Amino acid sequence: MNASVAAPATRHDWTLAEVKALFEQPFNDLLFQAQSVHRAHFDPNRVQVSTLLSIKTGACPEDCKYCPQSGHYNTGLDKQKLMEVQKVLEAAAEAKAIGSTRFCMGAAWKHPSAKDMPYVLEMVKGVKKLGLETCMTLGKLTQEQTQALADAGLDYYNHNLDTSPEFYGNIITTRTYSERLQTLAYVREAGMKICSGGILGMGESVDDRAGLLIQLANLPEHPESVPINMLVKVKGTPLAEEEDVDPFDFIRTLAVARIMMPKSHVRLSAGREQMNEQMQALAFMAGANSIFYGEKLLTTKNPQAEKDMQLFKRLGIKPEEREEHADEVHQAAIEQALVEQRDSQLFYSAV
């Protein structure tokens, strides 16, 4: 953090007019403002690195029009049951060994079932023992489920708002916006951190992009992590033929998110496979300081980890280090898990 730059006030009262004015700034002015805000709170040459594993794939009852995991669309995706706890822990061990500090587990559910919750809680406890931050995305939660996850040691819960309240009904009809906000409220009440963002390229307007960021920034506390996804168009989904997002419009949204939520990690998330190195460099300039690292994001491709490291080297960027004290128990657990999964094809080299 650069102490010479005055840290802007953190706000929770953004208006649509104010946010649209940010979007309408000349591109260089917007990036300069975003980078200035970024440097007031973060090391501009550090990026937080996460790995994401799909612990239960496909056959989701939700009708999200962007999602290949929805049971409403035929996308050719292989359906898989909930993974065994030990296999998840083996995947987490490999992720840590190759550089991730946070391990995110995603399940294609409308909500977790009572019979699956004990296994989910064991996954959280096991990943924590490896010394990684834990994150899960399991759909809608009850207050009791949320507290159970917190008690197990879950650090982050991911639950995206996806878009503005006004455009939301065009994308999803099986879960309301208020239900999403209620789950986020439960997560915050239980003392966990929030990971929540949205997707660009679903046919939304600039007002909708502004509306999404207003919903996030005007929460009582800003999400600690704000993933900004670029739609990955999957054949068989209703959004497969949507027009591509203009790269500069995508960067503008990252920059506005950085200005509105100055202390949050803004995550360059799904869609990086479609971004060239110059666009990714602009994204980091705009204040993005978190990525998913590896070959897959749940069911869509993500740039290979080696390419990420090469780009980081060329840009002078280093992975953000988690503040923790590694001990012999952690190291032994990692080494043992790596030995057990060495020949396994279960884990798709997420890092």
Side-chain angles (χ1 to χ4, degrees):
M1 179 172 145
N2 188 344
S4 65
V5 180
T10 300
R11 294 178 49 192
H12 304 269
D13 59 352
W14 290 91
T15 66
L16 182 60
E18 287 178 307
V19 180
K20 287 180 70 175
L22 289 176
F23 271 99
E24 291 166 2
Q25 286 189 84
F27 187 76
N28 285 343
D29 291 350
L30 177 60
L31 252 64
F32 181 79
Q33 183 180 351
Q35 177 67 193
S36 299
V37 170
H38 187 53
R39 285 172 178 266
H41 294 284
F42 293 99
D43 182 334
N45 298 309
R46 290 276 184 177
V47 171
Q48 190 275 325
V49 174
S50 298
T51 294
L52 178 60
L53 178 70
S54 178
I55 60 173
K56 186 268 176 185
T57 304
C60 181
E62 302 280 20
D63 68 353
C64 310
K65 290 185 178 178
Y66 53 80
C67 187
Q69 300 209 64
S70 172
H72 293 257
Y73 317 122
N74 182 14
T75 61
L77 183 70
D78 291 335
K79 300 174 180 63
Q80 299 172 2
K81 294 180 180 179
L82 184 66
M83 284 175 61
E84 295 175 11
V85 174
Q86 184 56 34
K87 293 186 183 298
V88 172
L89 301 186
E90 290 165 4
E94 184 174 327
K96 177 168 182 174
I98 317 176
S100 274
T101 57
R102 186 179 306 158
F103 193 68
C104 305
M105 294 159 274
W109 285 326
K110 185 178 178 71
H111 52 76
S113 68
K115 70 179 179 63
D116 286 323
M117 275 300 291
Y119 301 104
V120 167
L121 298 176
E122 287 305 311
M123 291 174 192
V124 174
K125 293 173 185 175
V127 174
K128 287 284 285 186
K129 286 180 181 177
L130 291 172
L132 286 160
E133 287 184 316
T134 52
C135 177
M136 280 194 158
T137 178
L138 310 170
K140 177 182 173 181
L141 297 176
T142 65
Q143 193 165 17
E144 293 73 23
Q145 287 172 329
T146 311
Q147 190 59 54
L149 288 166
D151 292 343
L154 188 66
D155 297 298
Y156 285 81
Y157 193 74
N158 168 255
H159 201 57
N160 289 337
L161 295 180
D162 289 344
T163 188
S164 69
E166 294 78 15
F167 190 67
Y168 181 83
N170 296 330
I171 304 299
I172 302 156
T173 66
T174 51
R175 178 186 299 159
T176 67
Y177 212 83
S178 62
E179 285 178 310
R180 288 181 182 260
L181 291 171
Q182 181 61 71
T183 292
L184 292 181
Y186 287 152
V187 170
R188 193 58 91 190
E189 287 168 13
M192 290 183 287
K193 297 174 182 176
I194 287 175
C195 175
S196 187
I199 304 171
L200 306 190
M202 300 189 294
E204 76 285 345
S205 66
V206 174
D207 280 13
D208 290 316
R209 293 171 188 172
L212 165 69
L213 297 180
I214 288 169
Q215 287 291 319
L216 295 167
N218 287 356
L219 288 170
E221 292 180 69
H222 291 167
E224 284 79 4
S225 182
V226 181
I228 303 296
N229 299 276
M230 187 165 71
L231 177 68
V232 178
K233 291 177 279 190
V234 179
K235 187 176 180 180
T237 63
L239 298 181
E241 304 301 323
E242 281 294 326
E243 290 186 18
D244 290 342
V245 178
D246 179 273
F248 293 118
D249 288 345
F250 186 86
I251 300 299
R252 281 182 182 277
T253 306
L254 288 173
V256 173
R258 166 51 66 221
I259 293 165
M260 293 174 68
M261 292 169 278
K263 298 180 182 179
S264 302
H265 278 78
V266 176
R267 176 174 293 152
L268 190 58
S269 207
R272 273 203 310 133
E273 178 79 6
Q274 286 75 48
M275 299 177 196
N276 62 26
E277 291 182 332
Q278 292 79 8
M279 184 176 174
Q280 291 187 61
L282 272 178
F284 297 132
M285 183 72 182
N289 63 338
S290 178
I291 62 168
F292 275 126
Y293 179 46
E295 293 179 1
K296 269 200 173 184
L297 262 185
L298 288 181
T299 58
T300 57
K301 289 184 178 179
N302 199 38
Q304 293 180 356
E306 188 176 343
K307 288 184 179 179
D308 289 336
M309 287 299 101
Q310 289 174 353
L311 179 59
F312 275 20
K313 185 176 181 180
R314 291 168 66 193
L315 297 178
I317 287 174
K318 294 182 179 180
E320 189 175 282
E321 295 177 357
R322 186 183 176 203
E323 293 181 4
E324 62 156 326
H325 302 285
D327 57 32
E328 293 177 2
V329 174
H330 285 168
Q331 191 59 36
I334 292 167
E335 290 172 358
Q336 178 60 33
L338 285 173
V339 168
E340 291 173 357
Q341 63 81 53
R342 184 166 47 203
D343 299 320
S344 169
Q345 296 304 308
L346 158 78
F347 190 45
Y348 32 60
S349 298
V351 266

